[in-house]
Amino acid sequence: MEPPNVPDTYDLIVLGSGPGGYVAAIRAAQLGLKTAIVERELLGGICLNWGCIPTKALLRSAEVFHYMQHAKDYGLVANQISADLEAVVKRSRGVAKQLNQGVTHLMKKNKIDVHMGDGKLTGKGKLSVTKDGKTTELTARNIIVATGARARDLPFAKADGKRIWTYRHAMTPPEMPTKLLVVGSGAIGIEFASFYRDMGADVTVVEMLDRLVPVEDADVSAFLEKAVKKQGMTTMTGAGVEKLEVSPDGVKASIKGKDGKTVAQEFSHVIVAIGIVPNTENIGLEALGVKTDRGHIVTDGMCRTNVEGIYAIGDVTAPPWLAHKASHEGVIAAEAIAGKHPHAMDPKNIPGCTYCRPQIASVGLTEAKAKEAGYEVRVGNFPFIGNGKAIALGEPEGFVKTVFDAKTGELLGAHMIGAEVTELIQGYTVGKTGELTEAELMETVFPHPTLSEMMHESVLAAYGRALHI
Amino acid sequence: MPIELKMPALSPTMEEGTLAKWLVKEGDTVKSGDIMAEIETDKATMEFEAVDEGTIAKIVVPEGTDGVKVGAVIALIAGEGEDASAAASAPAPSPSPAKAGEGQAGKAGQGEGSAAPSPSPSQSAGADRAPPSPAKAGEGLEGRVKASPLARRMAEAKGIDLGALQGSGPGGRIVKADIEGAQPGAAPKVAAAPAAAPAPAPAPAAPAAPFETEIPHEAVKLSNMRKTIARRLTEAKSTIPHIYLTVDIRLDALLKLRGELNGALAARNVKLSVNDLLIKALAVALKQVPECNVSFTPDQLIKYSRADISVAVSIPGGLITPIVTNADGKGVAAISSEMHELASRAKDGKLQPHEYQGGTASLSNMGMFGIKQFEAVINPPQGMIMAIGAGEKRPYVVDDALQIATVMSATGSFDHRAIDGADGARLMKVFKELVEAPLGMVA
Ligand SMILES: Cc1cc2nc3c(=O)[nH]c(=O)nc-3n(C[C@H](O)[C@H](O)[C@H](O)COP(=O)(O)OP(=O)(O)OC[C@H]3O[C@@H](n4cnc5c(N)ncnc54)[C@H](O)[C@@H]3O)c2cc1C
C-alpha cells in the first residue's frame, strides 16, 4: 500500500532557474515531460536579475549619456547635461523585474511547477527543497543541475559591499565611485569599467595577463586598450593586485606592475571581477559521485554527467560561461531526456559579446589559436572608417577581422570591435554553423548602408578582394 | 531502347574497378541471375549478375580494362522484341546530368545541377567535365546529396565520395565532421576506407613516366589490391604516429590448454590453432582496456563497445584482413571455425566487402615463418595492431631459476594520437596475462 502523501514523480526536475534552467524546463514541457523547477532566489537566475540584462540597461544609460555629451558632433545642442545614478540604477532594476515576471509567466503558461527554496539532491532521482525551515521531498526520473555560479573573491580581501564590490554591488551601488579600481578585464570587469568611466568616474583597470580582454583576438585587445585610454581610462596589464586595505573613506591597493615593482594607490571603490565559482557545493553532488573538474561539473555533448539520470548545464559546467550557451544546453539536455537526438554543442560556434564602449563580439578561433592548431590561415580585416553607415553614425572606429582556413575556406573565427558589433556577430555564427565557406559569404548580398557590409568586405579582404579600402 | 548495363558499385566505397572477364559474349541471351562478368575491386573479385532479361547487344567495355568508373555503361542489352543489332548501333549513352556534388559548389553546374536528378544510378563513366571525386553511387539513388558547402569542398579535395557517406547533420546533411571521419580510413559509418583517395591526386592520375632500367626485368601491372595496399600502408605510416610496445609471453599454459581443448573438440571436428586463441585473447584484452579499442578522427575519439578483430591473412598477390566480429563474445571454437571458413574464402578471393572492411583492431601473426619479433603497420581507422612472433623454446627465469619455456614476443603498434603509452602498456599486460593464464579467457 502506498503511503498517502507520496509525492508525484516528475519526469524532470530542473535545479536552478537561470537562462539554462528555465529554458530547459520550457523545452521539456513542450516535449510533454512533467516538469518542475526549483529556485532559491529569483526566477531567471543571474542573467535576468544580476547579470546580462541589468548591466545592459546600465550600459545603455551610459551610452545615451555619452551621446548627449557629444550632441554637438551631430549638430545638436544639449546644455547642462548630468547623470542621476540612482535613476539609472532604478531603470536597470525595473528592466530586470519586468523580465523576471516574464519568466514567471512562461512557467505558468507551460504548466511547470515552480518550487521556491533551497534544492538539494538527496539520492538518485530524489531532491529536497527547503524553505523557511520546511523541507519538501520531490522525486524525478531525471534531474538537470543548473545552479550557475557566483563571483570569485580575491583570496586576501572579501567583498564587503561598501568599498569592495562584486558585480551585484556594482550594479546597485550605494554611491557613485569617484576613483574606481576594477580588478580583472574580462567581459564583466571591462563592462563595469566602461560604464563607470562613461558616468564620469576616474577608472583604473588592472589585468593579470598581458592584455585586456585576454580571451579575444590580440588585435581586438590592442584596439580596445587604445580606445579606452583615449577615453581617459588607466589600464595596467601584466599587473596584479596584492593587497587591499579598507579605510573609512577609501581603499588602499598594492599593485604589482609589469616591472615587478609594487606601488600603493588610493581608490574610492574596488570592483572585483576575477572570475566565477560554480555553485556545486552543498547540493548533494559528492554523495552521488557526480564528477567535477575544479568545481565545475563534467558533462558530455548531451549534457550528461557521469551519473545516469543527472544532467548539468550552464555556468555550473565547462566554459564558455555565457547565458546563450546555458540556454542552448538547456534545450539539448531536455531533448536528450525526451529521447530525441539533439546535436552536440560545439564551443567553436558559440559567439561571445562584450558591451563595453567600443563593443566587442567574436566567434570561433582567434588568429593565434588557429595558427596554434596548425591551420594555415587567411586573414581579412576591414576598418569601420571604410564603411558609409559607420561614418554616418559618427562611429568610425573599429574593425571586422575574419580568419579562414586557407586550405578549405572554412571560417575559423571572426572578431569585431566597434559600434553595434554585438548585433552583427550572429551573421558569422549562422555561416559557421551552416558550414558556409568564403564562397557563399562572398556571394551573399549585404544590405546598404549597414554596418554588416563590413562583414562582407572583411571576407573579401581575406582573399585580397576588398572593395572599399 | 536498349538497356544500359552499368559498372556496379560492389562496395559502398568503390569508385572504380577492373572488368576482369566477360562470361557472356555479344548475341548471348541472358536472364536474371546469370553471371555475366567478373569484376575486380580493390580487395576482391566479384561476380556480376544479370538483373534484366535480353540479348547482349554490345559489349562496350572490353575485358581486362581497369579503372572503369562505377556507373559507366559496360554493355547494352536488347530487351524482348528488340533488335539486338539496332540496339547496338543506338547512339552512345549521354552523360547523365551533373550531380549536385560535382564541380565547384554552386558554380560550375548551376543549370544542370538543378535538372531533375535521374532516379537510377546513372553515372556515365567519363563525365569528362568533372573530376571523378564527388558522389556517384549512393547519390543517384536518392537524388541530391545533402551536404554543407564546406563538406563538399573538403570531399572534393580529398577525393571522397559524398554519396557513400551518411550525414550526421540536420536531416542527414553531410557536414565537415563526416568528411573528417571519412578521412582515408577513419569512417566508422562508411564501413570502408579505400574510397578515400589521398588528397594530392583526385583526378585520374596522369600515367607515370615509364620506369627505365638496364637490368633485365619484367614489369607487372599493379593489381587493384596492390594499389590499395600501397595506398593504405603509406597513409598509415605517414599520418599515424605509431608507438610500439613489446612483451615476451610464456606460451606453455596456452599450448597445454589448446591440446586439451582439441582433444575434447576432436569429436566436433574443430581444431584450434594458437592464432584462434590469440584472437580471443586480444579481443578480451581490448574489452578490459577499452582505451585501446578506439579510432582517432580529427574531432572525435570513437570508442568501440565491441571488439571486432581483423586477422591478417596472406593470399596470392597480397593480403586481406577478414574480421572476426564480436570476438570477445564468441567461444574459441566458434572463432576457430569462423576463421577457418573466412581464410579459405579469402584465398579464393570470395570475401564480401563487409567481411574484410571494418574491425576495431588487428592481429598479424608471422610466427609460422620463424619471425622472432616485428612491428606491424596500423590498419586505419583502427587504433592498434598486435604483431605476433614465433613461439620458441627460450631460457626463461621462473622463480629465480633458469628453465626452458616456450616463449613468444608480441608487439603492439598503437596510434599514439588516440592511445597513451600507459594505456597501450596496460593492454599488453592484460594480453600477456590472458595468454599465460588462458583459462581466464575461455571461461
Ligand atoms: C555582471 C554580469 C554580466 C553578464 N553579462 C553577460 C552577457 O552580456 N552575456 C552573456 O551571455 N552572459 C553574461 N553573463 C553571464 C550569464 O549571466 C551566465 O552565463 C548565465 O546566467 C548562466 O546561466 P545558468 O542558468 O547557468 O546559471 P545562473 O543564471 O547563475 O542561474 C542559476 C540559478 O540557480 C539558483 N540556484 C543555485 N543553487 C541553488 C539551489 N541549491 N537551490 C535552488 N536554486 C539554486 C540560483 O539562485 C540562480 O537563480 C553575465 C554575468 C554577470 C555576472
Side-chain angles (χ1 to χ4, degrees):
Chain A
M1 260 258 311
E2 271 192 3
N5 62 342
V6 138
D8 283 356
T9 289
Y10 289 103
D11 293 319
L12 170 65
I13 298 177
V14 184
L15 180 58
S17 73
Y22 86 76
V23 169
I26 293 175
R27 184 69 188 125
Q30 283 177 347
L31 292 169
L33 302 184
K34 187 168 155 53
T35 306
I37 195 160
V38 178
E39 172 59 57
R40 67 179 170 201
E41 209 182 306
L42 290 169
L43 287 179
I46 297 301
C47 172
L48 297 197
N49 300 292
W50 300 106
C52 328
I53 297 295
T55 53
K56 265 73 276 177
L58 295 175
L59 284 156
R60 176 63 171 167
S61 292
E63 186 182 40
V64 173
F65 189 41
H66 162 77
Y67 283 128
M68 285 163 74
Q69 287 166 324
H70 289 81
K72 230 174 90 199
D73 300 353
Y74 298 90
L76 305 174
V77 183
N79 288 324
Q80 291 181 323
I81 305 153
S82 65
D84 176 352
L85 182 66
E86 218 183 296
V88 166
V89 171
K90 198 168 154 220
R91 172 176 182 274
S92 162
R93 297 322 303 161
V95 170
K97 180 124 196 269
Q98 184 180 340
L99 289 167
N100 161 264
Q101 285 165 350
V103 176
T104 311
H105 165 76
L106 285 170
M107 295 300 102
K108 209 176 279 160
K109 182 184 153 201
N110 287 286
K111 305 200 169 55
I112 296 158
D113 289 353
V114 177
H115 298 270
M116 294 305 290
D118 231 307
K120 183 172 176 165
L121 281 72
T122 50
K124 256 191 149 168
K126 287 205 194 115
L127 198 142
S128 69
V129 184
T130 309
K131 182 156 177 135
D132 304 330
K134 266 198 14 226
T135 299
T136 321
E137 297 289 341
L138 304 175
T139 58
R141 272 177 272 281
N142 299 281
I143 292 174
I144 297 179
V145 179
T147 47
R150 58 185 185 274
R152 181 181 292 279
D153 267 321
L154 284 167
F156 47 81
K158 266 203 146 22
D160 60 7
K162 292 195 183 84
R163 295 288 168 188
I164 305 177
W165 297 348
T166 64
Y167 58 81
R168 284 209 192 202
H169 311 115
M171 70 183 82
T172 49
E175 68 244 338
M176 173 73 191
T178 47
K179 195 164 188 307
L180 175 67
L181 171 66
V182 177
V183 189
S185 76
I188 295 175
I190 202 72
E191 284 185 5
F192 278 116
S194 191
F195 170 71
Y196 280 111
R197 176 69 209 114
D198 278 346
M199 293 296 287
D202 178 348
V203 175
T204 299
V205 179
V206 173
E207 167 59 53
M208 192 124 81
L209 297 177
D210 63 353
R211 54 193 177 89
L212 299 181
V213 287
V215 301
E216 300 292 343
D217 191 273
D219 288 350
V220 168
S221 295
F223 192 96
L224 177 71
E225 184 162 344
K226 256 198 241 147
V228 296
K229 277 188 169 153
K230 223 165 90 186
Q231 296 168 13
M233 212 185 276
T234 306
T235 63
M236 300 174 71
T237 53
V241 174
E242 296 192 314
K243 207 160 61 174
L244 293 178
E245 287 165 275
V246 182
S247 66
D249 40 32
V251 188
K252 194 163 93 189
S254 305
I255 306 169
K256 187 171 178 178
K258 225 184 229 149
D259 52 9
K261 285 200 201 99
T262 303
V263 289
Q265 270 193 56
E266 291 281 347
F267 294 92
S268 70
H269 299 85
V270 179
I271 295 176
V272 179
I274 55 167
I276 59 161
V277 188
N279 296 325
T280 42
E281 310 94 341
N282 305 322
I283 51 171
L285 295 180
E286 302 83 5
L288 284 163
V290 175
K291 217 154 105 188
T292 56
D293 176 15
R294 277 157 289 176
H296 290 271
I297 299 175
V298 179
T299 53
D300 67 5
M302 295 293 139
C303 307
R304 290 178 288 232
T305 69
N306 62 315
V307 178
E308 211 197 317
I310 300 183
Y311 295 69
I313 58 174
D315 280 10
V316 80
T317 66
W321 298 305
L322 295 167
H324 42 279
K325 179 255 191 185
S327 299
H328 208 90
E329 285 183 334
V331 171
I332 290 174
E335 292 185 352
I337 288 167
K340 306 249 173 252
H341 299 280
H343 68 106
M345 193 80 170
D346 182 354
K348 289 196 294 297
N349 290 341
I350 304 175
C353 294
T354 306
Y355 298 75
C356 49
R357 192 170 60 79
Q359 291 185 357
I360 297 168
S362 61
V363 64
L365 300 176
T366 63
E367 182 179 350
K369 280 265 158 57
K371 286 178 175 162
E372 226 170 81
Y375 287 103
E376 190 192 315
V377 298
R378 288 192 86 123
V379 175
N381 210 319
F382 192 86
F384 270 54
I385 191 82
N387 176 268
K389 178 71 179 292
I391 310 272
L393 288 178
E395 297 284 1
E397 276 172 29
F399 63 80
V400 174
K401 174 173 174 175
T402 44
V403 182
F404 287 92
D405 178 355
K407 285 217 183 81
T408 61
E410 177 182 7
L411 179 61
L412 298 171
H415 310 277
M416 322 193 213
I417 182 165
E420 303 300 339
V421 293
T422 55
E423 292 292 338
L424 297 181
I425 194 66
Q426 45 75 21
Y428 284 140
T429 309
V430 170
K432 258 180 90 51
T433 305
E435 297 193 345
L436 305 189
T437 69
E438 93 291 344
E440 294 76 32
L441 292 169
M442 286 183 190
E443 285 168 13
T444 302
V445 181
F446 286 77
H448 177 77
T450 60
L451 297 174
S452 74
E453 289 171 280
M454 288 186 284
M455 297 169 64
H456 194 216
E457 290 273 18
S458 178
V459 174
L460 293 173
Y463 290 81
R465 289 178 43 185
L467 297 166
H468 292 90
I469 28 170
Chain B
M1 268 296 282
I3 299 159
E4 294 171 1
L5 260 191
K6 291 178 183 129
M7 185 69 166
L10 298 172
S11 73
T13 53
M14 171 176 166
E15 288 187 342
E16 57 177 48
T18 300
L19 211 167
K21 195 161 180 203
W22 277 112
L23 302 172
V24 293
K25 51 185 190 309
E26 289 178 6
D28 283 1
T29 49
V30 291
K31 58 181 194 310
S32 167
D34 285 355
I35 311 287
M36 293 189 295
E38 280 181 1
I39 287 162
E40 191 191 326
T41 68
D42 43 12
K43 282 269 167 99
T45 301
M46 304 224 230
E47 291 166 342
F48 181 28
E49 285 181 15
V51 186
D52 302 296
E53 259 168 54
T55 308
I56 303 285
K58 188 176 168 65
I59 284 180
V60 180
V61 174
E63 67 179 31
T65 309
D66 53 23
V68 183
K69 299 274 180 302
V70 168
V73 175
I74 54 176
L76 299 178
I77 295 184
E80 212 182 329
E82 261 186 301
D83 177 355
S85 61
S89 59
S94 61
S96 60
K99 297 296 187 290
E102 272 173 3
Q104 267 281 47
K107 290 241 179 66
Q110 273 170 1
E112 299 152 276
S114 54
S118 54
S120 66
S122 62
Q123 173 64 42
S124 93
D128 41 36
R129 45 170 293 278
S133 40
K136 303 274 155 19
E139 181 181 26
L141 292 168
E142 321 148 349
R144 200 173 86 90
V145 167
K146 282 202 274 181
S148 80
L150 181 61
R152 280 184 199 285
R153 188 178 285 176
M154 291 172 71
E156 196 171 300
K158 290 183 176 170
I160 288 171
D161 181 350
L162 283 176
L165 295 185
Q166 264 175 38
S168 65
R173 185 174 187 241
I174 297 169
V175 296
K176 177 186 173 192
D178 302 321
I179 305 291
E180 286 175 340
Q183 234 163 15
K189 274 177 258 163
V190 189
F211 182 87
E212 288 184 35
T213 172
E214 302 279 292
I215 307 166
H217 70 282
E218 177 198 4
V220 181
K221 210 171 77 162
L222 293 184
S223 67
N224 284 344
M225 187 190 301
R226 179 59 47 201
K227 286 184 195 163
T228 302
I229 291 172
R231 194 181 68 226
R232 307 240 317 135
L233 291 184
T234 307
E235 170 205 318
K237 267 282 190 172
S238 55
T239 63
I240 302 177
H242 286 61
I243 46 163
Y244 307 102
L245 304 173
T246 302
V247 290
D248 285 342
I249 303 178
R250 224 184 129 165
L251 278 183
D252 302 85
L254 183 112
L255 293 174
K256 181 158 168 281
L257 176 72
R258 172 175 167 251
E260 286 166 11
L261 285 173
N262 276 342
L265 289 167
R268 275 162 59 188
N269 215 359
V270 173
K271 190 157 176 265
L272 300 176
S273 69
V274 170
N275 212 47
D276 296 333
L277 292 160
L278 296 178
I279 292 169
K280 174 76 178 177
L282 178 57
V284 174
L286 285 167
K287 281 295 271 198
Q288 288 184 20
V289 189
E291 290 81 359
C292 295
N293 197 23
V294 296
S295 280
F296 180 86
T297 77
D299 276 351
Q300 289 172 315
L301 192 66
I302 311 297
K303 297 166 139 182
Y304 299 107
S305 38
R306 200 175 73 192
D308 291 0
I309 308 294
S310 304
V311 183
V313 171
S314 76
I315 56 173
L319 170 111
I320 197 157
T321 53
I323 301 163
V324 181
T325 50
N326 193 19
D328 56 295
K330 283 183 182 145
V332 285
I335 291 178
S336 180
S337 3
E338 192 172 326
M339 225 16 249
H340 190 75
E341 196 266 336
L342 284 169
S344 73
R345 280 198 294 121
K347 296 211 159 90
D348 299 338
K350 292 272 155 66
L351 286 183
Q352 294 296 306
H354 72 267
E355 293 174 310
Y356 57 80
Q357 291 174 347
T360 66
S362 292
L363 182 89
S364 177
N365 189 342
M366 304 245 263
M368 55 291 224
F369 303 113
I371 299 297
K372 189 180 169 78
Q373 183 267 337
F374 70 106
E375 283 115 24
V377 182
I378 292 168
N379 179 15
Q382 298 175 359
M384 73 86 50
I385 181 167
M386 185 72 80
I388 305 292
E392 53 185 12
K393 291 223 156 76
R394 291 190 205 165
Y396 203 76
V397 177
V398 180
D399 297 335
D400 279 345
L402 200 56
Q403 285 192 11
I404 293 173
T406 309
V407 177
M408 72 171 193
S409 298
T411 301
S413 308
F414 298 88
D415 182 343
H416 213 342
R417 297 171 302 180
I419 300 169
D420 294 328
D423 288 330
R426 274 203 297 135
L427 181 90
M428 296 309 291
K429 180 164 177 277
V430 171
F431 181 70
K432 177 182 164 105
E433 286 166 0
L434 286 168
V435 175
E436 293 191 340
L439 276 178
M441 73 187 179
V442 293

